[in-house]
C-alpha cells in the first residue's frame, strides 16, 4: 500500500506576481506524501508529510474521498481473503458439507470487483477534479499562486486494474461452473416422457 499512487505537478508563482517560473510537485501515496517545491515561491525544498493530518487541515472533500478510497480498498482485501479462505476450506472439507459452496466465492469476488472499480473512480476524481493538490501546496506556503495542474497516475493505482480483471475472471469461472452443474442436474431430472419407449417398458 505504500507504493506511489499519483504525481501532481503545478506551475507556481509568488502570490500576486503573475510570474510562473516555479513548480510544485506532490507525490502521493495512501498514507504518506512528498512535496517538492522549486522556486515556489523561493528556493527549492523537499518535504515529507502524512496525508491524513495534512488533508484534515485543508478541504473536507479531499479528505472524505481519500478516506473513502482507503476504506473501500481495505474491504476489497477482506473480500479477497474471504474468497480464498472459503475456497481453501471447501477444497479440504467433506464435499457434502461445503461452506457456502460457490455462492460464497461468487459473492466475495463480486463485492471485491465492484469495490475495486469504485476505488479507481474515486481516487482519480479526487486527484483530478478536487483542489487537493493546490490545498496541499498552500498548506506549506499560502503566499503562492498555482495553475496548470497535471496528474500522472502511478503503479499503486494501476495495480488495481489487474486485481479487478482477475476478480472478474474468477466470477466468470464460477458462473460457468455453476451453469454446467445446473445443466447436468437438469439432464438428470428430465421427466420420464422424454425417455425412449424401450426404457419406459421396464
Amino acid at each position: 500500500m505504500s507504493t506511489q499512487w499519483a504525481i501532481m505537478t503545478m506551475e507556481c508563482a509568488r502570490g500576486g506576481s503573475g510570474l510562473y517560473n516555479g513548480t510544485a510537485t506532490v507525490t502521493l501515496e495512501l498514507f504518506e506524501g512528498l512535496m517538492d517545491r522549486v522556486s515556489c515561491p523561493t528556493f527549492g525544498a523537499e518535504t515529507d508529510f502524512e496525508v491524513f493530518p495534512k488533508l484534515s487541515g485543508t478541504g473536507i472533500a479531499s479528505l472524505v474521498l481519500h478516506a473513502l478510497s482507503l476504506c473501500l480498498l481495505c474491504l476489497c482485501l477482506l473480500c479477497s481473503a474471504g474468497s480464498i479462505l472459503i475456497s481453501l476450506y471447501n477444497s479440504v472439507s467433506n464435499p457434502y458439507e461445503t461452506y457456502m459452496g460457490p455462492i460464497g466465492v461468487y459473492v466475495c469476488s463480486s463485492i471485491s470487483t465492484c469495490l475495486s472499480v469504485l476505488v479507481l473512480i474515486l481516487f482519480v476524481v479526487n486527484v483530478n477534479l478536487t483542489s487537493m493538490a493546490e490545498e496541499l501546496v498552500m498548506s506549506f506556503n499560502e503566499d503562492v499562486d498555482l495553475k496548470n495542474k497535471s496528474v500522472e497516475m502511478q503503479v499503486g493505482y494501476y495495480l488495481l486494474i489487474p486485481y479487478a480483471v482477475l476478480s472478474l475472471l474468477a466470477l466468470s469461472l464460477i458462473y460457468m461452473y455453476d451453469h454446467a452443474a445446473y445443466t447436468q442436474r437438469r439432464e438428470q431430472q428430465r421427466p420420464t416422457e422424454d425417455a425412449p419407449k424401450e426404457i419406459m417398458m421396464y
Side-chain angles (χ1 to χ4, degrees):
M1 286 188 177
S2 61
T3 307
Q4 295 178 0
W5 277 59
I7 295 178
M8 298 167 283
T9 305
M10 294 149 286
E11 295 180 7
C12 180
R14 184 183 295 274
S17 68
L19 181 61
Y20 290 88
N21 60 346
T23 59
T25 303
V26 181
T27 302
L28 192 65
E29 300 177 2
L30 289 180
F31 298 101
E32 297 178 348
L34 175 66
M35 178 70 64
D36 184 12
R37 292 173 292 160
V38 178
S39 299
C40 183
T42 54
F43 299 104
E46 285 190 2
T47 309
D48 294 317
F49 63 92
E50 299 290 330
V51 173
F52 282 101
K54 274 294 180 184
L55 289 179
S56 62
T58 58
I60 188 66
S62 302
L63 176 63
V64 169
L65 287 175
H66 192 76
L68 185 58
S69 299
L70 184 60
C71 291
L72 293 178
L73 192 60
C74 292
L75 288 177
C76 285
L77 296 178
L78 286 176
C79 290
S80 296
S83 177
I84 293 171
L85 290 175
I86 291 172
S87 300
L88 290 176
Y89 176 80
N90 290 339
S91 65
V92 298
S93 66
N94 188 330
Y96 298 101
E97 298 178 358
T98 58
Y99 179 72
M100 298 177 70
I103 299 299
V105 182
Y106 186 82
V107 170
C108 290
S109 297
S110 300
I111 294 174
S112 63
T113 302
C114 295
L115 292 180
S116 61
V117 172
L118 192 56
V119 170
L120 288 171
I121 296 172
L122 287 177
F123 191 83
V124 78
V125 165
N126 194 18
V127 297
N128 282 281
L129 300 183
T130 68
S131 57
M132 177 175 65
E134 293 86 346
E135 291 167 351
L136 286 172
V137 175
M138 290 183 177
S139 67
F140 289 91
N141 193 323
E142 295 183 355
D143 187 27
V144 293
D145 293 329
L146 302 166
K147 70 174 186 177
N148 296 337
K149 179 176 72 174
S150 63
V151 179
E152 182 181 354
M153 309 310 293
Q154 296 297 303
V155 176
Y157 178 82
Y158 289 118
L159 282 177
L160 274 182
I161 297 176
Y163 172 83
V165 171
L166 290 175
S167 297
L168 284 174
L169 179 61
L171 285 174
S172 302
L173 292 175
I174 294 168
Y175 174 79
M176 289 188 292
Y177 167 80
D178 201 33
H179 181 70
Y182 174 76
T183 304
Q184 185 178 11
R185 287 195 302 269
R186 288 294 301 270
E187 289 292 331
Q188 293 174 350
Q189 297 172 359
R190 291 175 64 183
T192 56
E193 58 265 18
D194 292 338
K197 293 182 179 180
E198 293 81 2
I199 297 177
M200 293 182 64
M201 291 176 63
Y202 294 97

